[in-house]
Amino acid sequence: AQSVTQLDSHVSVSEGTPVLLRCNYSSSYSPSLFWYVQHPNKGLQLLLKYTSAATLVKGINGFEAEFKKSETSFHLTKPSAHMSDAAEYFCVVSEGRGYQKVTFGIGTKLQVIP
Amino acid sequence: GAGVSQSPSNKVTEKGKDVELRCDPISGHTALYWYRQSLGQGLEFLIYFQGNSAPDKSGLPSDRFSAERTGGSVSTLTIQRTQQEDSAVYLCASSLGTGGGNQPQHFGDGTRLSIL
């Protein structure tokens, strides 16, 4: 069975400061992991994905995430927050065997303060 | 089209009426998913299609909910005898679905359903 836990429901940062959104997962197999972003009244957009290649994954808009198997974590980071980063972020795990059932975290709302 | 298209974008209807929500996936994507997103909640999986068949319907909340997909393309989610708790945003996603779980899903903007 697989599960994903987003440790913070809300995160607030000042513009220009680093962003850290935390995600822990559990999986019986080698997982694929994703981060998606959802802006208001929009669907989810893929930020980045990990699929057993490099453990440090770079995504769009300056975001990156590091897969740490020993910590079962896949935290999302960005060195400097921009106002346009304010949105909801979802961590997603898939066990990647046959039918790709995925499990979504409950989401983290990122607020960026000017 | 370039992305996943959902229609209508907004739907307001009276309790007890039936509604149909439509999803046009990205051309060539064989996998299609429906999710429900309620206010303040994460995404709730409803159903998965591979081609025209639905190997996983485990998320449909009741027998009032059904979905079909024709021609390996367009999908329709139907809710019969709508209830107020059905009010939510219904999201559709598609992916290449070539096997394994490493294919990202591409989402439409959703249909916001409000039951009066």
Side-chain angles (χ1 to χ4, degrees), chain B residues 24-92:
Chain B
D24 259 295
I26 292 172
S27 178
H29 281 191
T30 57
L32 186 146
Y33 308 79
W34 283 98
Y35 297 91
R36 180 167 70 176
Q37 186 175 32
S38 302
L39 191 62
Q41 305 291 317
L43 267 70
E44 176 188 5
F45 166 80
L46 297 178
I47 187 169
Y48 156 68
F49 285 93
Q50 182 60 249
N52 290 338
S53 60
D56 189 349
K57 308 178 187 179
S58 62
L60 295 177
S62 75
D63 59 8
R64 296 187 296 105
F65 287 72
S66 63
E68 65 174 15
R69 189 178 184 194
T70 55
S73 180
V74 172
S75 176
T76 303
L77 176 69
T78 301
I79 309 173
Q80 295 178 307
R81 306 182 301 281
T82 52
Q83 304 293 314
Q84 287 187 330
E85 62 262 28
D86 300 334
S87 296
V89 176
Y90 289 81
L91 290 166
C92 174

Side-chain angles (χ1 to χ4, degrees), chain A residues 32 34 36 38 41-46 49 51 88 90 94-102 104-107, chain B residues 31 33 35 37 41-43 45 48 56 58 91 95-109 112:
Chain A
S32 293
F34 308 82
Y36 288 83
Q38 185 179 32
N41 300 314
K42 290 290 186 184
L44 279 70
Q45 179 187 15
L46 179 70
K49 68 174 185 178
T51 55
E88 189 152 22
F90 293 91
S94 170
E95 289 193 322
R97 289 172 64 87
Y99 157 46
Q100 47 169 318
K101 186 159 188 173
V102 299
F104 286 78
I106 62 168
Chain B
Y33 308 79
Y35 297 91
Q37 186 175 32
Q41 305 291 317
L43 267 70
F45 166 80
Y48 156 68
D56 189 349
S58 62
L91 290 166
S95 74
L96 283 171
T98 53
N102 60 359
Q103 299 293 338
Q105 296 181 22
H106 299 260
F107 285 80
D109 286 343
R112 185 174 300 276

Side-chain angles (χ1 to χ4, degrees), chain A residues 66-88:
Chain A
E66 186 170 8
F67 174 72
K68 291 188 176 179
K69 186 174 180 178
S70 60
E71 298 176 12
T72 61
S73 68
F74 191 58
H75 300 334
L76 182 71
T77 60
K78 183 173 180 177
S80 175
H82 192 272
M83 294 300 296
S84 61
D85 295 328
E88 189 152 22

Side-chain angles (χ1 to χ4, degrees), chain A residues 1 9 14 19 23 27 40 44 57 67 69 90 93 97-99 108:
Chain A
S9 59
S14 297
V19 176
C23 173
S27 174
L44 279 70
V57 182
F67 174 72
K69 186 174 180 178
F90 293 91
V93 63
R97 289 172 64 87
Y99 157 46
T108 297

